[in-house]
Amino acid sequence: MHDDGTMPRPLAPQGRTGRPPVTSRAQILAGARQLIDRDGWEQLTIRKLAAELGVGPTTLYHHVRDKEDLLLLLITAYLDQVPHPELPSTPRDRIVTAAIAIHDSLAAWPWTAEVLTVDGFIARLNESALWFVEAILAGAVDHGCTPQQAVLIFRNMWYYAAGEILVRARTKERATPPDFDAFFSRLDESNLPQLTAVAHEWDAWVRPDTFAQGIEAVVDGLLAQALAT
Amino acid sequence: MHDDGTMPRPLAPQGRTGRPPVTSRAQILAGARQLIDRDGWEQLTIRKLAAELGVGPTTLYHHVRDKEDLLLLLITAYLDQVPHPELPSTPRDRIVTAAIAIHDSLAAWPWTAEVLTVDGFIARLNESALWFVEAILAGAVDHGCTPQQAVLIFRNMWYYAAGEILVRARTKERATPPDFDAFFSRLDESNLPQLTAVAHEWDAWVRPDTFAQGIEAVVDGLLAQALAT
DNA sequence: ACCTGAACACCGTTCAAGT
DNA sequence: ACCTGAACACCGTTCAAGT
């Protein structure tokens, strides 16, 4: 549990004492975001960020616990400013809408994929981001699920969304993958007939973003299973 | 496209020439696996692996392209030895059975999560592992899907499975997460009623492995959507 | 043909010393 | 209180020189 910067710090009697700060957590987060947007996610290192801010690398450790903490603060601040969508009237559509909104926000900033799977990620979100979780849980309960079913539905949707973001984030843009031809030629048509039949189309079929369609199928499947038991 | 070691190399006229090899790709893969099993995934570095084998670190680069290549070879060899399950008679159950089998194999060796999302992962699998992909595609087609629908169903199942493995692989074993109490106390009951209501149960509800149940719901949702259009 | 050590170009993080 | 450089303990990879 650490200071989130919203509490005014009690001042020493005669004002501040000791060496004055040269930076702050807010400046560090702003610098990190700038560095990522300008030079790419791979360029975000503690040392480069410090250089960007014009401070010593070790100074950052007075403002964030470690690099993972920095990343979590960054994603939290980002999700905090994501607008909440208008929710439709049926519970099922509310679930889908909330899921698409949070997914699209994360997918738009692909480096977030690197932090999505850290232990206790959901528990570290702030209230604005938890609004999406609440919308999904409430939608499931309104649809007729028990609270426990709602939690499991959320978790399964999270697996799907996180998997989609992670796989796509690491799929480079490219015309045709380098060894795709080698891949096709290795296929044994008699053992793998379906795969052989679709091999040449695979890349083109799999490239378009079908998250919205996919999450609808996932949600419908999960809701149907919950209500059937 | 590189030598996969199955082709006999043509010998020079008078037999081999030049400095004799001190190791081989097979030995490197065996050493890597031993290192992971004994010391954990984090301990697998090029340098430590070379030390384990008693060779110079740079020697490995004559047998594998780079570290990612090594990891892919390792997972390929592992998946190659995974037994193919008996497939049930209905297409829908064949899809579910194949998915659970491949998931459980990957989940049993959690470090594989690190490689699951590399670009073109599926295209680098060998025939034995592609058997699972074929089983899922064939199941979908037998159920009445078009080949394109079958490919998208496979891809969506892959997102779900990969997400589950990735999230779980990074979730440490623990009684109760350190700042879970802080998490609960931050929640505003009036804005987040559902979340507040389930907060204390969340961890216990989410901990059990429900992949088999989840993939059934996902498959049913995807198949229903495909047949409806 | 294959192996090697040295070197390059980095990392995240700790810590004692300084202001 | 806060900042700093030096240092620790590493990485993956390239490359010229060796056998």
Side-chain angles (χ1 to χ4, degrees):
Chain A
M1 181 136 40
H2 49 254
D3 181 9
D4 67 354
T6 60
M7 290 298 184
R9 230 178 272 238
L11 299 181
Q14 328 295 35
R16 275 188 224 79
T17 163
R19 192 168 178 171
V22 294
T23 189
S24 64
R25 180 179 280 186
Q27 263 178 49
I28 290 170
L29 294 180
R33 182 144 185 190
Q34 193 184 29
L35 197 54
I36 292 174
D37 290 343
R38 198 189 57 214
D39 301 339
W41 151 253
E42 306 74 23
Q43 296 305 311
L44 179 66
T45 66
I46 294 287
R47 294 166 110 106
K48 281 184 180 138
L49 176 53
E52 180 87 5
L53 296 167
V55 303
T58 58
T59 300
L60 303 195
Y61 288 89
H62 291 274
H63 302 273
V64 299
R65 185 159 22 78
D66 53 24
K67 195 180 179 183
E68 184 179 290
D69 187 47
L70 168 64
L71 264 21
L72 251 358
L73 290 168
L74 205 55
I75 202 170
T76 296
Y78 172 65
L79 288 179
D80 202 22
Q81 50 121 78
V82 168
H84 299 171
E86 284 268 337
L87 291 183
S89 57
T90 74
R92 181 267 191 198
D93 290 344
R94 286 206 292 277
I95 297 174
V96 169
T97 301
I100 291 175
I102 189 77
H103 168 272
D104 288 356
S105 297
L106 291 168
W109 221 20
W111 74 263
T112 59
E114 308 294 328
V115 201
L116 253 41
T117 56
V118 308
D119 194 19
F121 176 72
I122 302 291
R124 297 209 46 179
L125 259 26
N126 53 20
E127 189 149 337
S128 176
L130 290 173
W131 179 91
F132 292 93
V133 183
E134 175 72 19
I136 290 170
L137 293 179
V141 168
D142 289 351
H143 190 83
C145 295
T146 66
Q148 182 168 10
Q149 288 173 331
V151 168
L152 292 176
I153 285 172
F154 169 79
R155 164 118 309 203
N156 281 311
M157 291 172 61
W158 178 242
Y159 290 151
Y160 175 73
E164 201 268 357
I165 293 168
L166 283 157
V167 170
R168 283 203 180 272
R170 285 178 173 77
T171 304
K172 292 120 196 149
E173 313 297 340
R174 35 141 172 78
T176 301
D179 41 17
F180 233 67
D181 287 340
F183 173 52
F184 298 153
S185 65
R186 277 193 301 119
L187 294 179
D188 180 348
E189 193 170 345
S190 58
N191 286 335
L192 304 170
Q194 296 297 335
L195 198 49
T196 313
V198 298
H200 296 83
E201 258 81 46
W202 187 283
D203 193 50
W205 286 349
V206 136
R207 201 188 297 251
D209 180 357
T210 56
F211 179 82
Q213 194 189 333
I215 195 75
E216 288 197 63
V218 169
V219 168
D220 289 338
L222 290 166
L223 287 176
Q225 186 185 63
L227 294 215
T229 58
Chain B
M1 183 138 40
H2 49 251
D3 180 7
D4 68 353
T6 60
M7 290 295 185
R9 231 177 271 241
L11 298 181
Q14 327 297 33
R16 277 188 222 81
T17 163
R19 191 167 179 173
V22 294
T23 189
S24 64
R25 180 178 281 187
Q27 263 178 48
I28 290 169
L29 294 180
R33 180 143 186 191
Q34 192 183 30
L35 197 54
I36 291 173
D37 290 344
R38 199 189 57 216
D39 300 339
W41 151 253
E42 306 75 22
Q43 297 304 310
L44 179 66
T45 66
I46 295 286
R47 295 168 111 104
K48 280 185 181 140
L49 176 53
E52 180 87 5
L53 297 166
V55 304
T58 57
T59 300
L60 303 194
Y61 288 87
H62 292 274
H63 301 273
V64 297
R65 185 161 23 79
D66 53 23
K67 195 180 178 184
E68 183 179 290
D69 187 46
L70 168 64
L71 263 21
L72 250 359
L73 290 168
L74 206 54
I75 203 170
T76 296
Y78 171 66
L79 287 178
D80 203 21
Q81 49 123 75
V82 168
H84 298 170
E86 285 268 338
L87 291 182
S89 56
T90 73
R92 181 268 191 197
D93 289 345
R94 287 206 291 277
I95 297 173
V96 169
T97 301
I100 292 175
I102 189 78
H103 168 271
D104 288 356
S105 297
L106 291 168
W109 222 19
W111 73 264
T112 60
E114 308 293 329
V115 202
L116 252 41
T117 56
V118 308
D119 195 19
F121 176 72
I122 302 290
R124 297 207 48 178
L125 260 25
N126 53 20
E127 188 148 337
S128 176
L130 289 173
W131 178 91
F132 293 93
V133 183
E134 175 72 18
I136 289 170
L137 293 179
V141 169
D142 290 351
H143 190 83
C145 295
T146 66
Q148 182 168 8
Q149 287 173 333
V151 168
L152 292 177
I153 285 171
F154 170 79
R155 164 120 308 206
N156 280 311
M157 291 172 61
W158 177 242
Y159 290 150
Y160 175 73
E164 200 268 357
I165 293 167
L166 283 157
V167 170
R168 281 202 181 274
R170 286 179 174 78
T171 303
K172 291 118 197 151
E173 314 297 341
R174 36 142 171 79
T176 301
D179 40 19
F180 232 68
D181 287 341
F183 174 53
F184 298 154
S185 64
R186 278 194 302 120
L187 294 179
D188 179 347
E189 194 169 345
S190 58
N191 286 336
L192 305 169
Q194 296 298 335
L195 197 50
T196 312
V198 299
H200 297 83
E201 256 80 47
W202 188 283
D203 193 50
W205 285 349
V206 137
R207 200 188 297 252
D209 180 358
T210 57
F211 179 83
Q213 193 191 332
I215 195 74
E216 288 197 65
V218 169
V219 168
D220 290 338
L222 290 166
L223 289 176
Q225 185 185 64
L227 294 215
T229 58

